Amino acid sequence: MKTTLTTADLQNSVISVPPLCRDVSLQPVASENARLIRHLESGGVTTLLYGGNANFYNIALSEYETVLDQLEAAAALNTLIVPSVGPYFGTALDQAAILARKSFPTAMLLPTLAVSSPEGVRAAVLRIVEKLGKPIVLYIKDAGYVTLDVVKSLVQAGALSWIKYAVVREDPAQDDLLAALVQTVDPALIVSGIGEQPAIVHWQKFGIRAFTSGCVCVAPRRSQEMLRALQSGDLAKAENLRQKFNILEALRNAHGPIPVLHHAVAHAGIADTGPLLPLLRDLGEPLQAPIATAARELLAWNNEP
């Protein structure tokens, strides 16, 4: 596992956001998580972020270290693993204490609006960073979660390794918050956090040079190809590639990004993801049929010469 992190690392690979594989008793399965990691690595993906798709929101503290050890053991030497903490402050501090004994170069704080305020987030991040001994990833998922002043102060304090920006807009080109954010901090610190769908717009209009993806877990080679097309300035190729992800992404938008991806990885035969960890639940068979079709077609496209 890679134990260092620079902003250049964020641009070398699509930042995959994989599910976490569990067995019927909801225990994490090392062999299946390793299969998924190897699939991503085989497509050139070297950064894995375990957050919402892995349902780290609901992970038990009692299993947290086991999961970390499984992921670290499965990763290749140049593969970067970014686990998550939180979303609640007490949980995040306890998880940070465990992570402080490990070699992961950063971790992401999962966001919540339910019991947070921008100044409270600032205080929490600083305390978590102090406990961890390393900067963390700030995940901006909602417009009211933090203010620009809070973000700027955290960057100046050296508390942030990078920022995952994932505020969903009807038109991603019309985003006043993102426009202000790239003027407030170095855009190299910001990662487009909503998959392939807005990545090209975020690249062209806002100068963001990295993006996360869930569907990369099915088609890593093609998602990496899209990143390379953007880097070479071939926007037409990037757009053609992006459109291939739309069927599975539309299902994720309609039925939930986490459960659809969880089932898609399993139906494609990449890894047995098992049942979803509560508070989520598995989707019914009528919904799983189109997910299976979309996932298998996406994988077949990924494997084409």
Side-chain angles (χ1 to χ4, degrees):
M1 182 184 75
K2 195 174 189 296
T3 59
T4 60
L5 171 66
T6 68
T7 52
D9 291 321
L10 302 177
Q11 300 172 15
N12 290 334
S13 167
V14 175
I15 300 169
S16 62
V17 191
L20 190 72
C21 303
R22 294 179 178 272
D23 62 22
V24 292
S25 62
L26 298 179
Q27 298 302 304
V29 183
S31 59
E32 295 304 312
N33 285 309
R35 282 182 66 199
L36 177 51
I37 290 172
R38 286 194 296 271
H39 176 68
L40 285 160
E41 291 171 340
S42 72
V45 173
T46 56
T47 303
L48 287 75
L49 171 62
Y50 285 83
N53 289 337
N55 203 357
F56 263 54
Y57 284 91
N58 292 311
I59 197 169
L61 186 61
S62 59
E63 69 178 4
Y64 190 70
E65 188 164 13
T66 297
V67 171
L68 295 180
D69 291 344
Q70 284 187 10
L71 300 177
E72 181 177 5
L77 289 177
N78 68 331
T79 295
L80 177 67
I81 303 287
V82 181
S84 292
V85 299
Y88 303 111
F89 177 64
T91 302
L93 273 189
D94 287 347
Q95 291 169 330
I98 295 170
L99 278 167
R101 307 194 299 265
K102 307 293 182 180
S103 299
F104 300 90
T106 191
M108 183 174 74
L109 175 61
L110 294 166
T112 176
L113 279 179
V115 287
S116 71
S117 67
E119 287 299 326
V121 171
R122 186 209 311 259
V125 168
L126 293 173
R127 290 284 298 277
I128 293 165
V129 168
E130 181 181 15
K131 177 73 72 171
L132 178 60
K134 300 169 185 176
I136 67 171
V137 181
L138 181 68
Y139 185 180
I140 304 176
K141 190 175 177 61
D142 298 283
Y145 181 60
V146 288
T147 63
L148 294 173
D149 285 344
V150 165
V151 176
K152 183 177 181 179
S153 70
L154 290 173
V155 170
Q156 290 174 338
L160 302 184
S161 54
W162 47 283
I163 299 163
K164 179 183 179 184
Y165 183 84
V167 179
V168 176
R169 307 293 188 186
E170 185 173 347
D171 179 359
Q174 304 301 316
D175 193 330
D176 292 342
L177 177 57
L178 183 54
L181 185 63
V182 298
Q183 295 299 316
T184 301
V185 302
D186 184 353
L189 289 174
I190 304 170
V191 170
S192 173
I194 325 172
E196 288 83 3
Q197 290 172 301
I200 296 176
V201 172
H202 285 174
W203 188 287
Q204 284 185 281
K205 183 167 183 178
F206 302 103
I208 297 176
R209 296 295 183 256
F211 64 90
T212 69
S213 171
C215 290
V216 67
C217 297
V218 179
R221 188 167 68 89
R222 297 302 187 177
S223 191
Q224 278 288 106
E225 191 177 356
M226 177 178 156
L227 175 63
R228 299 300 178 228
L230 286 169
Q231 290 170 339
S232 68
D234 192 342
L235 298 180
K237 180 178 180 180
E239 176 59 22
N240 286 335
L241 290 163
R242 186 195 68 82
Q243 289 181 10
K244 294 284 191 177
F245 291 92
N246 282 349
I247 295 176
L248 188 56
E249 284 290 6
L251 289 166
R252 296 184 74 204
N253 292 339
H255 307 297
I258 297 173
V260 170
L261 181 65
H262 191 90
H263 294 314
V265 168
H267 284 304
I270 295 162
D272 184 359
T273 51
L276 279 158
L277 182 68
L279 301 167
L280 293 171
R281 61 174 294 177
D282 292 347
L283 299 175
E285 289 299 325
L287 290 179
Q288 290 204 35
I291 294 170
T293 298
R296 291 165 186 160
E297 290 178 353
L298 195 61
L299 180 63
W301 172 59
N302 180 75
N303 294 338
E304 288 176 3

